[in-house]
């Protein structure tokens, strides 16, 4: 069985460190405006590229920059400048959908992954794109059998990319799903003149709607007010089947979500893949991993289209169905490294006790989770011991069960 890599989403240095510490194989991120999460995620600046590349190179983690929006003529010069900085910083590759971007990346010798925005859903398109890309994210609307057949034909016909290797196939494994075909939606553009295809989606589809007959004024009775709101993709229950198709990479969606989301999801899928490799991926293990996934942001879970047409893909509740939430207590005022003691001033209404779960998030720390022990509170100043190094200005959260 081939090794399957995990590709993690990172929107800032906190989630970057969370992904690295959780053991991801690859990361992807946006810079500036020309990516599909330019509005919803905390994107990096172009000046961050060398630091990102350096941090990931130490751990042998592959790096991808998303440049997958629609691009206009007046932006070509900007694209060229960004690509030159990507090349200079030794970032591994880009994820792109516009042929002008792909062409310029080829000219500079930068590896390209074809974005899901290209809706690649058949072998002939794979063959066509193989002249310019080394990896393809297949359309989300394909089922497992269709994916498997495409990969088998790639091997049979020896379809290679610019590097001379067989075309790699990547698929989405977990995270937010769009109601539109491969994410090409016009709703935000129609309502607010903000194009989803330019990374400006304001998620109009995730709101409640009333449906009214304009002729009679009668309203339709709906079982679910969220008629266009997709639940999240989750493949932990069919992960072994996804691996059997022959894919190289499982992509985790949602660069706009928090560092603890990245940490949990990467760890869960990494453990799942390790159990599959050991032939120990039992029903009990799946249930335990699913329980972990439910602790972080989710809109309910669906198999997507992998098992055929989905019947459970519509969300039925409010935005976040996580079984745990974070309450911000503040930022660490001081950390005494020799004795591993942190200090923070609490607000008057905040209370913590030994045994309470907490989480610390920071741009260098990443994610650290533990239970309070050896705490002392004097005049609203909390001191508590930790088991690893944290840093001043790291954010401290109390983890609360929903």
């Amino acid at each position: 069985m081939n090794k399957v890599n995990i590709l993690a989403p990172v929107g800032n240095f906190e989630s970057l460190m969370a992904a690295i510490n959780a053991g991801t194989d690859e990361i992807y991120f946006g810079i500036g405006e020309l990516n599909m999460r330019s509005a919803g995620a905390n994107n990096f600046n172009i000046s961050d590229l060398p630091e990102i590349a350096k941090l990931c190179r130490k751990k042998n983690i592959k790096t991808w920059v998303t440049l997958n929006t629609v691009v206009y003529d007046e932006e070509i010069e900007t694209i060229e400048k960004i690509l030159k900085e990507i090349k200079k910083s030794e970032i591994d590759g880009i994820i792109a959908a516009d042929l002008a971007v792909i062409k310029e990346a080829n000219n500079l010798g930068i590896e390209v992954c074809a974005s899901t925005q290209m809706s690649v859903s058949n072998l002939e398109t794979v063959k066509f794109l193989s002249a310019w890309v080394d990896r393809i994210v297949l359309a989300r609307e394909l089922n497992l059998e269709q994916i498997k057949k495409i990969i088998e034909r790639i091997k049979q016909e020896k379809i290679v990319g610019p590097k001379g290797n067989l075309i790699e196939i990547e698929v989405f494994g977990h995270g937010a799903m769009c109601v539109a075909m491969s994410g090409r939606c016009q709703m935000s553009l129609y309502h607010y003149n903000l194009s989803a295809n330019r990374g400006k989606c304001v998620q109009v589809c995730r709101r409640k709607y009333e449906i009214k007959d304009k002729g009679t004024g009668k309203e339709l009775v709906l079982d679910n007010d969220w008629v266009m709101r997709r639940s999240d993709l989750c493949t932990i229950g069919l992960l072994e089947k996804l691996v059997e198709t022959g894919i190289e990479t499982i992509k985790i969606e949602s660069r706009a979500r928090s560092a603890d989301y990245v940490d949990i999801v990467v760890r869960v899928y990494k453990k799942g893949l390790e159990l599959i490799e050991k032939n120990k991926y039992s029903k009990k293990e799946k249930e335990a991993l699913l329980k972990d996934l439910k602790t972080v942001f989710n809109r309910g879970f669906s198999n997507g289209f992998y098992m055929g047409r989905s019947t459970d893909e519509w969300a039925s509740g409010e935005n976040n169905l996580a079984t745990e939430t974070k309450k911000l207590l503040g930022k660490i005022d001081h950390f005494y490294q020799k004795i591993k003691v942190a200090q923070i001033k609490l607000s008057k209404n905040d209370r913590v006790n030994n045994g309470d779960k907490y989480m610390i998030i920071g741009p260098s720390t990443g994610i650290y989770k533990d239970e309070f022990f050896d705490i002392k509170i004097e005049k609203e100043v909390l001191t508590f011991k930790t088991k690893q190094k944290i840093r001043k200005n790291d954010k401290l959260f109390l983890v609360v069960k929903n």
Side-chain angles (χ1 to χ4, degrees), residues 12 36 47 57 83 95 127-128 162 166 170 175 241 251 263 299 304 313 340 379 391 402:
N12 52 38
M36 290 299 286
S47 59
R57 201 176 300 117
L83 287 171
I95 302 170
K127 289 180 181 178
F128 177 81
L166 289 176
E170 176 184 311
K241 294 183 177 66
K251 186 174 194 171
D263 174 74
R299 299 184 178 100
E313 62 192 38
K340 286 189 170 60
K379 296 181 180 180
R391 294 160 178 86
N402 288 338

Side-chain angles (χ1 to χ4, degrees), residues 131-381:
W132 299 285
V133 307
D134 288 290
R135 181 186 291 188
I136 294 172
V137 188
L138 291 180
R140 299 185 188 213
E141 294 74 30
L142 296 181
N143 61 40
L144 291 175
E145 188 59 31
Q146 291 170 319
I147 294 169
K148 186 176 182 180
K149 286 181 179 178
I150 288 173
I151 293 171
E152 287 175 347
R153 292 284 300 279
I154 288 172
K155 293 176 180 177
Q156 290 169 6
E157 301 186 26
K158 296 181 172 58
I159 303 171
V160 300
K163 293 196 302 182
N165 300 324
L166 289 176
I167 291 290
E168 297 178 4
I169 294 299
E170 176 184 311
V171 298
F172 284 90
H174 193 92
M177 289 197 293
C178 180
V179 70
M181 186 78 171
S182 285
R184 294 196 304 276
C185 182
Q186 300 293 330
M187 288 189 70
S188 291
L189 182 63
Y190 178 79
H191 285 280
Y192 298 103
N193 198 31
L194 295 169
S195 175
N197 301 296
R198 298 275 294 167
K200 304 292 185 183
C201 177
V202 293
Q203 304 197 28
V204 182
C205 60
R206 300 201 184 278
R207 301 175 185 175
K208 290 184 179 182
Y209 285 88
E210 295 176 354
I211 299 180
K212 183 182 288 187
D213 184 330
K214 293 184 73 172
T216 65
K218 291 184 177 180
E219 293 184 3
L220 296 178
V221 178
L222 303 173
D223 290 332
N224 182 3
D225 291 329
W226 292 272
V227 291
M228 292 178 287
R229 183 174 175 270
R230 294 290 299 270
S231 51
D232 284 358
L233 175 65
C234 176
T235 60
I236 208 67
L238 54 91
L239 191 59
E240 74 279 25
K241 294 183 177 66
L242 201 55
V243 171
E244 287 169 3
T245 64
I247 59 169
E248 273 83 15
T249 306
I250 289 178
K251 186 174 194 171
I252 298 168
E253 174 64 288
S254 306
R255 277 181 283 138
R257 295 187 186 176
S258 61
D260 56 310
Y261 168 88
V262 175
D263 174 74
I264 285 289
V265 179
V266 170
R267 289 183 189 277
V268 164
Y269 278 87
K270 186 177 181 66
K271 184 175 181 180
L273 292 172
E274 289 171 350
L275 289 168
I276 290 169
E277 191 175 354
K278 296 174 183 177
N279 200 28
K280 293 182 178 180
Y281 198 52
S282 64
K283 181 180 178 181
K284 183 179 179 181
E285 294 287 359
K286 291 180 185 180
E287 290 173 350
L289 293 175
L290 182 61
K291 185 178 179 180
D292 288 341
L293 289 173
K294 289 180 178 179
T295 64
V296 290
F297 188 102
N298 71 85
R299 299 184 178 100
F301 293 131
S302 164
N303 291 331
F305 294 93
Y306 287 131
M307 302 302 289
R309 185 170 180 173
S310 178
T311 58
D312 63 344
E313 62 192 38
W314 306 108
S316 57
E318 293 293 346
N319 205 30
N320 186 4
L321 301 180
T323 59
E324 294 180 353
T325 54
K326 310 189 299 293
K327 178 185 178 183
L328 180 64
L329 297 178
K331 293 184 177 181
I332 300 297
D333 295 319
H334 194 81
F335 181 67
Y336 300 91
Q337 189 167 338
K338 287 185 178 180
I339 56 175
K340 286 189 170 60
V341 169
Q343 177 180 303
I344 183 173
K345 184 173 178 60
L346 299 174
S347 70
K348 291 182 179 180
N349 297 324
D350 289 332
R351 296 287 183 271
V352 298
N353 299 288
N354 283 320
D356 288 347
K357 290 184 178 180
Y358 70 86
M359 181 186 303
I360 291 173
I361 300 177
S364 297
T365 302
I367 295 282
Y368 171 61
K369 291 182 282 189
D370 204 344
E371 295 181 358
F372 284 115
F373 66 96
D374 287 352
I375 69 171
K376 293 180 181 179
I377 302 177
E378 294 182 9
K379 296 181 180 180
E380 297 168 4
V381 175

